[in-house]
Amino acid sequence: PVALVFLYGDERDSANNLLQQVAREFIGDLGFYLTSDSQAIGHFNLAPTDLPTLLIVKDGKHVIYPSHQFTNTETVRQSLISWIENEKFPLVSDINPSNAPEILQGTRTAVVGVINKDDHENMAKFRAIAETQSKQQKASKSDRVLFAILEGTTWGNYARTAYAVHPNRLPALIIVDPVNNKYYAHDINRKKFSLDDSDKVLQALKVDIPEQTLIGVSTLPFHARVGQSMQQGFGMLRVHWFMTCGAFAAILYIFVKRTNRRKGRSNVLPVKSGSQD
């Protein structure tokens, strides 16, 4: 599990009140720990001059908060919250009811592997893709992409309903774009993403999805898709109002002209007057 650790030497630097307030924002996400223990400080290779310091421990490594300012002010709290939000996810998360909304419906693109828990070989392949993406991401300083496992045995029915992943066809890999309410199951060649072809997954993340060359599937229910299409349509009308008015005027002109032409033709048809015996 991911943990936040605050290390200090002097009791006056404990920042207890600050961290209690910040911790309320992350209940269920990660544990918060405060310590002045010398062995703990030595474990992270910190000198007395490095204190106080705050770090997040995950994946057998630790990430140090870039500031030593821990006064209990709104500015410091918001800065700390923002940093934790960005660092709280491990390399690969396990999706569960508490973190599913943030991973599958949040603000970050997520690569989701639907894999059975005893499939260690494919779990390792998925983790290897995540490691490669993490290195490329740090080098380019791009927005973080989340990697998460949706355990196939437990959540197979959900995967089938939400992403059309059949429980008997695992492992499966999809890319979820919650901001645009889409998911992607196929690469640029219309082949399903595979754990054996990491290049296609990484290409989709880096190029194909940002450039909108992949065809995604909407995650919205039918009525929401209809509403979204109508909203987009009205938006286009508002943006291009001049062209829209011109098009309506042209259609109206053609309709009136054709109607008058039909009336003219009907007036010249031979009409038999009088009555017949």
Side-chain angles (χ1 to χ4, degrees):
V2 179
L4 180 145
V5 182
F6 182 82
L7 302 120
Y8 62 96
D10 193 312
E11 191 65 33
R12 291 172 297 181
D13 295 329
S14 67
N16 187 59
N17 291 334
L18 168 67
L19 293 175
Q20 281 195 19
Q21 292 184 47
V22 172
R24 294 191 187 105
E25 303 291 327
F26 299 97
I27 295 174
D29 286 343
L30 70 166
F32 277 60
Y33 301 90
L34 288 77
T35 182
S36 59
D37 181 75
S38 59
Q39 287 187 335
I41 294 170
H43 176 77
F44 295 108
N45 299 316
L46 298 172
T49 53
D50 296 324
L51 304 178
T53 194
L54 182 144
L55 47 87
I56 284 181
V57 183
K58 58 181 179 179
D59 302 313
K61 304 174 184 178
H62 64 273
V63 184
I64 298 178
Y65 181 58
S67 172
H68 293 281
Q69 179 59 257
F70 298 106
T71 54
N72 191 12
T73 65
E74 181 65 20
T75 301
V76 172
R77 282 196 298 272
Q78 291 305 317
S79 176
L80 187 53
I81 288 171
S82 177
W83 180 78
I84 297 172
E85 285 282 2
N86 195 53
E87 295 290 348
K88 69 180 182 178
F89 292 100
L91 181 66
V92 176
S93 300
D94 291 319
I95 297 177
N96 56 59
S98 64
N99 65 16
E102 188 167 8
I103 294 175
L104 301 177
Q105 301 171 354
T107 59
R108 297 177 175 90
T109 300
V111 180
V112 178
V114 187
I115 307 172
N116 290 330
K117 59 184 177 182
D118 56 351
D119 189 351
H120 303 296
E121 180 181 354
N122 284 304
M123 288 280 193
K125 290 179 181 178
F126 185 79
R127 189 174 185 85
I129 297 174
E131 288 174 346
T132 303
Q133 167 64 20
S134 178
K135 292 175 182 176
Q136 293 181 0
Q137 197 169 262
K138 289 177 181 177
S140 64
K141 297 182 179 180
S142 57
D143 293 337
R144 181 175 182 186
V145 174
L146 301 181
F147 279 73
I149 295 291
L150 188 64
E151 204 283 309
T153 305
T154 306
W155 306 109
N157 288 336
Y158 173 80
R160 184 172 188 171
T161 302
Y163 307 118
V165 174
H166 197 284
N168 295 332
R169 296 175 183 171
L170 302 184
L173 194 150
I174 58 171
I175 300 175
V176 181
D177 180 6
V179 173
N180 295 305
N181 301 303
K182 291 182 179 180
Y183 73 88
Y184 302 87
H186 299 82
D187 62 26
I188 195 69
N189 298 319
R190 297 298 297 156
K191 294 181 179 180
K192 284 185 177 293
F193 288 121
S194 170
L195 293 168
D196 295 317
D197 192 354
S198 61
D199 290 342
K200 286 293 190 295
V201 179
L202 298 174
Q203 178 184 326
L205 293 171
K206 187 178 180 180
V207 180
D208 299 335
I209 293 176
E211 294 183 359
Q212 300 182 356
T213 55
L214 282 189
I215 299 174
V217 180
S218 176
T219 57
L220 295 173
F222 177 74
H223 68 277
R225 293 200 300 270
V226 172
Q228 186 183 60
S229 298
M230 291 178 65
Q231 187 177 25
Q232 291 173 348
F234 286 129
M236 289 291 290
L237 292 179
R238 286 195 298 269
V239 172
H240 303 288
W241 64 272
F242 183 78
M243 293 177 64
T244 303
C245 291
F248 275 126
I251 293 171
L252 181 62
Y253 172 77
I254 293 170
F255 174 76
V256 172
K257 191 172 181 178
R258 286 188 175 181
T259 302
N260 288 336
R261 190 174 295 170
R262 289 193 188 100
K263 288 181 179 178
R265 285 199 295 265
S266 65
N267 288 336
V268 297
L269 288 175
V271 178
K272 187 178 287 187
S273 59
S275 60
Q276 293 181 348
D277 296 329

